[in-house]
Amino acid sequence: MATVSVTATHAREFLSGTKQLIIDGEHVDAADGATFETIDPGTGEVLTSVAHGKKEDVDRAVRAARKALDGPWKTMTPSERGRVIHRLGDLIMENLDQLAELDSLDNGKAMAVAAAADVPLAADNFWYMSGWATKLRGSTVRPSLPYLPGGEFHAYTTKEPVGVVAQIIPWNFPLLMAAWKVGPALATGCTIILKPAEQTPLSAIRLGELALEAGIPPGVLNVITGYGDAGAALAEHDDVDKVAFTGSTEVGKLIAQAAGKTNLKRVSLELGGKSPNIVLGDADVPAAIAGAANGIFFNQGEVCTAGSRLYIQNDLFDEVVAGVSDAANNIKVGHGLQPDTEMGPLVSSEQFDRVTGYLKIGSDAGSRAVAGGNAIDGPGYFVQPTVLVDTTDDARIVREEIFGPVVVAMPFQDVDELAAKANDSVYGLAAGIWTKDLSNAHKLAARIKAGTVHVNTYHIYDAALPFGGYKQSGWGREMGEEVLSAYQETKSVIVQL
C-alpha cells in the first residue's frame, strides 16, 4: 500500500486496514473475501483496500434492511427519528476534516472545496430532512358518491414508507450525493442499501459508521461497496421496493430496465447534463466571466450541471472568452490536499482518457483551444482547464457530456434562436442566464427546458430546493419537500358511518 501524504492527518487512521461492508450494523467481509483497491487520482497510488460486495452480499443487506423495516425503526416515533437524523448531521460536521480529506483523497477534489461545500451541505441536508420526519401527514376527504345517495363515510389518507430502498450514488460528490439520497429515505422511515461508486467508496463507509453512532438502528443503513454487478443485483432484486440512481444517462436506462424485470419497483433517476450558460449583451461582464468559469471549472468540471455550453451574445463574445480563458489559465491545479489547490485531478484513469479523448475529437473537428486543451504531465490524472471555440452546433463536443473542465464557447445574436439552441439537447438538467434585465431573465427562464435555471449566479444548491432534470436528465427530483413523495406510498382508507 502506498504511503498517504503526511498532510492527510485526519484520514490516516481510517485508511489503515481493509475497509469492510456494513450489513445489519456490523463490519463484515464480502462473502467470498474479495477486495479491490481504491486509488488516489492525484498520484495514481493505492489508498487502501475495500471489500468487493457481490450478489450474495446484496442479498444479505436486503434481508437486513427488510428485518429493520419492521423492527425498532418502525416503532420509533417521528420525533425520535428526526432527532437521530439531526444527530447524524451533527456528527458529519464534527468529523468535517476527516470526511473532507477522504473525499479529496478518493475523488481528487480540492480539500478546501470539500470542507467548504460538500461536507457542510451534506450535514445541512440531514438537518433539513430531520424536520420532515414529524411533518409527514395525510388528509381527510368527504366522499361524494352519486351512486350511494345519503351514504355517510369518513375517508382519509396516510403516508407510509415505500420500504427497502437501494441507492446507487456517483463518484463526483461522494458524501453529498449520499446525503441527498439517504436523508429523505430516513425521514420517511425507509431502510437503505447504499452502493457508492467503486472509485469513491470511503466516505460512504464512514457515513454508515456515523449513522450507527447517531442512534440509527442496525440494518437501517447498509453499505455495499463494489462494482456494477452489485448495482445490477440491487436493481433486479425482487425484495427491493425502490431504486434511486445518480449517474450517467446510459447506465440510468439500464437501471430502469433492470428494475422492471422483476417486481416493477419504483425508480428515480438523476442523470446527465449538457447545460447552457447564456451571457446576454447587457450582462455584468466581470460577474458573467467569473460565473462562466465557476460554472465549468468547479469540481474539475465533474458536475452534472456544469455550464459546458457557453452561449455569448456577439458584442461580448471576444471579451467574455478572453476573460474565461484568463481565469482558466490562472487556476491552481494540484493534488487535492495541497492547501492552495483550486482544481484537482480527474477521478480516474478512465475519466482522464474520456476527457482527453474528447479534446482530440474537438481538435480533429476543427475546434480551437483558447486556453488549455491538453493533459498535464506527471503522476495523477490532470487535465488543463480548457476553453474551446470555432465549433458547430452538431459537433460531439457540443452535444455530448464530457464531464471534465472543458467549455465550448459559441456566439449568438438573436435571443429567440438562442432559446431554441439552448433546448436543442437530449438533456435538461440546468442552465444559466446572465443579464441586468430581470424581465428578460424571467422570460428566457420560462422558455428553457431545465430543472434548475440560475440567473446571475451558478452552482447554487439548497436542501429546500428540488433538484432534477427534464428529458434524459432523469425522473423525479432530489431534495426539497418534493423528494419525499419518492419514498412514500399513499394509502386511502374509507369507513362507512
Side-chain angles (χ1 to χ4, degrees), residues 289-357:
I289 289 170
N294 177 59
I296 187 60
F297 300 131
F298 172 67
N299 205 59
Q300 301 81 248
E302 295 172 329
V303 186
C304 52
T305 56
S308 53
R309 289 187 291 149
L310 181 59
Y311 292 103
I312 309 164
Q313 206 148 21
N314 282 345
D315 290 348
L316 295 182
F317 184 77
D318 291 342
E319 183 178 2
V320 171
V321 167
V324 176
S325 299
D326 286 345
N329 291 330
N330 285 295
I331 290 173
K332 172 62 177 177
V333 180
H335 191 283
L337 292 189
Q338 294 174 346
D340 58 347
T341 289
E342 296 172 318
M343 194 180 93
L346 300 176
V347 71
S348 64
S349 60
E350 293 82 4
Q351 191 62 18
F352 175 86
D353 290 343
R354 175 184 176 88
V355 174
T356 54

Side-chain angles (χ1 to χ4, degrees), residues 254-464:
L254 297 175
I255 293 285
Q257 292 170 7
K261 286 180 179 179
T262 52
N263 60 345
L264 206 62
K265 58 178 62 65
R266 291 236 216 134
V267 178
S268 57
L269 303 169
E270 195 267 283
L271 306 175
K274 191 70 177 178
S275 299
N277 203 359
I278 302 162
V279 181
L280 298 180
D282 65 346
D284 179 327
V285 173
I289 289 170
N294 177 59
I296 187 60
F297 300 131
F298 172 67
N299 205 59
Q300 301 81 248
E302 295 172 329
V303 186
C304 52
T305 56
S308 53
R309 289 187 291 149
L310 181 59
Y311 292 103
I312 309 164
Q313 206 148 21
N314 282 345
D315 290 348
L316 295 182
F317 184 77
D318 291 342
E319 183 178 2
V320 171
V321 167
V324 176
S325 299
D326 286 345
N329 291 330
N330 285 295
I331 290 173
K332 172 62 177 177
V333 180
H335 191 283
L337 292 189
Q338 294 174 346
D340 58 347
T341 289
E342 296 172 318
M343 194 180 93
L346 300 176
V347 71
S348 64
S349 60
E350 293 82 4
Q351 191 62 18
F352 175 86
D353 290 343
R354 175 184 176 88
V355 174
T356 54
Y358 271 108
L359 291 176
K360 184 177 187 306
I361 288 169
S363 177
D364 289 347
S367 69
R368 176 170 58 91
V370 184
N374 297 294
I376 298 175
D377 292 335
Y381 313 125
F382 294 92
V383 172
Q384 293 174 333
T386 297
V387 180
L388 300 178
V389 296
D390 298 342
T391 188
T392 58
D393 293 337
D394 60 351
R396 289 183 62 187
I397 57 172
V398 174
R399 304 201 66 80
E400 298 176 14
E401 185 175 39
I402 298 174
F403 221 65
V406 181
V407 65
V408 178
M410 295 164 285
F412 73 92
Q413 182 56 46
D414 182 82
V415 174
D416 289 333
E417 291 181 3
L418 177 277
K421 286 185 177 184
N423 290 329
D424 184 19
S425 172
V426 299
Y427 301 111
L429 193 57
I433 301 170
W434 299 86
T435 178
K436 294 177 183 176
D437 188 330
L438 290 183
S439 177
N440 284 337
H442 287 298
K443 291 177 182 178
L444 185 53
R447 298 176 64 181
I448 292 176
K449 297 184 182 302
T452 298
V453 179
H454 304 88
V455 177
N456 294 332
T457 188
Y458 211 91
H459 286 321
I460 299 298
Y461 311 101
D462 185 88

